[in-house]
Structure formats: C-alpha cells, structure tokens
C-alpha cells in the first residue's frame, strides 16, 4: 500500500465528481486514498490527517467559497504538528478572477500547490509522486525460461 492521501471537498460544497475522479486516479497510481467526501469541515480534514499520519491533504472546492472555507486550515494542521503537503484545486474563485492572483492567494494561505478546474488528474499524480518521493512497486522481474 502506498502513502496515505486525504481528499475531500471543503465547507458546504457538494460537488462530488472531481474528487471521485481524483480518488480513482490516485488509487490506480498506488496511493492509499482516504476520501472524506463532500461538505467536509476543516476540523474533519485535520483529524483525518492526524489519524492517518498522512503524506498529503488534498482540498477541493468548486462553489466559490474556498477563500473563506480555508482560512485557518494550515494553522490547525500546524498545531497538530502535521507536516503533510497540501494541495487545493477546483473552481477557486468567484466568476472570472485573475488566475495568478487566485494561485498567489492560496499559496499565501499555505498550500504547496494550487490547481485550476482544467487540471488533468495525471498532473496531480505526477506532482504527488514528486512531492512525496512516492515510489510505485517495482514490476516483478520476468523470469526468462531457458530452453534446454
Ligand atoms: C455539476 C454541477 C453542480 C451539481 C453538483 C452535483 C454533484 N453532487 O456533484 C449541482 C447542480 C448540485 C450544483 C450545485 C451548485 N453549483 Co455547481 N456546477 C456543476 C458543474 C456544471 C460541473 C461540476 C463538475 O462535476 N465538473 C466535472 C469534474 C470532473 O470537474 P471538477 O469538479 O472541476 O474537478 C476537476 C478539477 O477542478 C480538478 N480538481 C477539483 N478538485 C480538486 C482538488 C485538488 C486537490 C486538485 C489537485 C484538483 C482538483 O480536478 C478535477 C478532475 O479533473 C460546474 C460548472 C463546470 N463546468 O465546472 C458548476 C459550478 C461549479 N457550480 C457553481 C455553483 C455556483 C453552484 C451552486 C452554488 C448553485 C446554486 N446557486 O445553488 C450550487 C452549490 C451547491 C453546493 N452546496 O455545493 C459554479 C461555481 C461558481 C464559482 N466558483 O464562481 C459553477 C462553476 C457553475 C458556474 N459557471 O457558475 N452544481
């Protein structure tokens, strides 16, 4: 089993399709995904991160309230001495805000990486593999049958 990754949709947000796709992609890549589902509070992210001694906390938000919902999350994680990498992704602002400003805002909140709504799940897998130095199991060496 690979490293544990916590995944969930923060706040009152009920958009479930994105995290379902991410869960499938991350599980297929060998991560042990704990999907907290939609409408997950900050406290639930923090206690799940603590309980599973997770390598990464992945926060999803689609409905436009991410800025408010994520306030204080990193302080709560730090208070529990959680050193997981944190990513956020989805539709992170209301309307057509400038993406550079949006990314900068979430970096300032403490997120290690910020992903937009066009994110391909394979990009998330690659980033996590790099950040967690995640190594997928070596494929079994094929035995070569020697003909006598
Ligand atoms: C389907 C949908 C709904 C469904 C959700 C059904 C369900 N249970 O999932 C329903 C009808 C319930 C709904 C409700 C609402 N919705 Co809606 N919804 C959508 C819609 C059309 C598609 C979302 C979707 O499933 N996309 C497909 C998945 C695969 O993509 P994704 O979610 O974006 O996820 C990908 C990436 O974003 C990224 N990603 C996502 N999360 C994360 C996390 C991490 C860590 C990473 C790395 C990547 C990542 O990777 C995913 C895979 O590629 C979008 C518009 C759109 N085209 O995106 C609006 C949209 C998200 N909804 C919107 C709104 C406003 C609402 C409501 C507030 C409307 C209302 N007034 O009631 C409510 C909110 C209800 C709530 N409490 O959440 C707005 C948000 C606007 C904003 N942010 O500025 C959008 C953008 C529509 C719009 N253009 O206005 N919605």
């Amino acid at each position: 089993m690979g490293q544990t990754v916590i995944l969930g949709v923060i706040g009152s947000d009920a958009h479930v399709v994105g995290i379902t796709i991410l869960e499938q992609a991350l599980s297929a890549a060998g991560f042990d995904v704990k999907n907290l589902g939609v409408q997950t509070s900050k406290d639930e992210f923090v206690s799940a991160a603590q309980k599973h001694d997770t390598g990464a906390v992945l926060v999803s938000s689609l409905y436009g309230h991410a800025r408010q919902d994520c306030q204080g999350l990193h302080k709560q994680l730090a208070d529990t001495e959680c050193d997981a990498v944190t990513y956020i992704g989805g539709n992170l602002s209301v309307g057509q805000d400038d993406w550079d400003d949006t990314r900068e805002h979430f970096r300032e909140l403490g997120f290690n990486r910020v992903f937009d709504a066009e994110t391909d799940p394979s990009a998330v897998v690659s980033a996590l593999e790099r950040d967690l130095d995640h190594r997928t199991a070596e494929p079994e060496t094929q035995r070569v049958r020697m003909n006598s």
Side-chain angles (χ1 to χ4, degrees), residues 12-18 21-22 39 58-64 87-91 93-95 115-117 119 121 124:
S12 306
D13 195 331
H15 294 89
V16 74
V17 184
I21 289 173
L22 288 174
Q39 301 189 323
L58 272 54
V59 176
S60 176
S61 181
L62 271 296
Y63 70 165
Y87 294 178
I88 187 164
N91 211 314
S93 55
V94 179
F115 294 83
D116 67 17
T119 301
V124 187

Side-chain angles (χ1 to χ4, degrees), residues 59-146:
V59 176
S60 176
S61 181
L62 271 296
Y63 70 165
H65 300 279
R67 288 177 189 234
Q68 295 80 4
D69 290 342
C70 294
Q71 288 292 336
L73 174 65
H74 285 81
K75 177 169 184 333
Q76 281 185 242
L77 288 169
D79 288 347
T80 64
E81 290 175 12
C82 172
D83 62 355
V85 295
T86 58
Y87 294 178
I88 187 164
N91 211 314
L92 297 177
S93 55
V94 179
Q96 305 294 316
D97 275 13
D98 179 70
W99 171 247
D100 288 340
D101 289 348
T102 300
R103 184 178 51 212
E104 196 46 40
H105 177 84
F106 287 98
R107 292 297 299 269
E108 279 169 11
L109 280 184
F111 287 96
N112 297 99
R113 293 183 189 264
V114 184
F115 294 83
D116 67 17
E118 306 301 317
T119 301
D120 190 304
S122 64
V124 187
V125 170
S126 306
L128 270 177
E129 285 175 345
R130 278 200 303 278
D131 290 348
L132 299 183
D133 194 24
H134 174 81
R135 279 182 283 274
T136 46
E138 290 286 318
E140 261 187 50
T141 315
Q142 263 198 313
R143 290 228 176 104
V144 181
R145 267 237 191 93
M146 303 295 284

